[in-house]
Amino acid sequence: MSARGQCLCGAVSFNVQFPSRWVAHCHCTMCQRAHGAAFVTWASVNTAQCTLQDSQGHLRWYQSSAEAERGFCSQCGSSLFFRSSRWPGEIHIARANFIDPLDKEPQIHGYYDTHVDWITLADSLPKKPAPGI
């Protein structure tokens, strides 16, 4: 099984082979700012399970911290990917950019200690703070 996805304009696309590692909502302030949203839902896969297509050279990587970088389309601005030395061998893909269904639904709210106060969540998923808190 696999799933396809792409950015808004279609210049950057990807294909993921399942199984995914996890799917989670991230409420960290960096994700909030990078996506302009209350939280971001990520799907994680082993890097070897993800094939990127970027024939026009629009995929750019922004070093968002000393440990991590975020991939986006330089043509349409879509935020697509996250990779970090904290999770070697993994790539995290913004769930909203998938075209096809995934093998997992979201399992957790991560970094919930920094969630915005203008959204009320009514699901029963676990709400975890940032690691070390």
Side-chain angles (χ1 to χ4, degrees):
M1 270 181 66
S2 65
R4 300 166 297 134
Q6 66 181 45
C7 63
L8 178 63
C9 70
V12 179
S13 61
F14 56 89
N15 188 63
V16 168
Q17 298 296 315
F18 295 136
S20 61
R21 296 176 62 85
W22 49 259
V23 178
H25 304 298
C26 182
H27 294 266
C28 80
T29 56
M30 291 183 78
C31 281
Q32 291 169 11
R33 289 185 189 111
H35 291 257
F39 59 91
V40 177
T41 305
W42 294 108
S44 175
V45 297
N46 293 327
T47 305
Q49 293 170 244
C50 182
T51 305
L52 304 178
Q53 293 88 35
D54 178 27
S55 62
Q56 300 170 14
H58 290 295
L59 179 60
R60 299 284 188 273
W61 290 92
Y62 169 70
Q63 183 98 33
S64 57
S65 71
E67 311 169 320
E69 55 186 357
R70 296 166 185 271
F72 66 96
C73 175
S74 64
Q75 180 163 289
C76 67
S78 292
S79 296
L80 296 161
F81 309 112
F82 174 86
R83 58 188 180 191
S84 172
S85 60
R86 290 183 66 192
W87 295 280
E90 290 183 39
I91 187 165
H92 305 167
I93 304 167
R95 172 65 181 93
N97 295 109
F98 280 89
I99 297 166
D100 300 320
L102 298 187
D103 63 334
K104 292 180 177 67
E105 294 299 323
Q107 301 157 298
I108 193 171
H109 289 277
Y111 293 81
Y112 196 73
D113 53 307
T114 57
H115 75 281
V116 298
D117 59 4
W118 41 268
I119 294 286
T120 301
L121 300 171
D123 65 38
S124 60
L125 295 177
K127 294 171 176 71
K128 302 289 185 179
I133 292 180

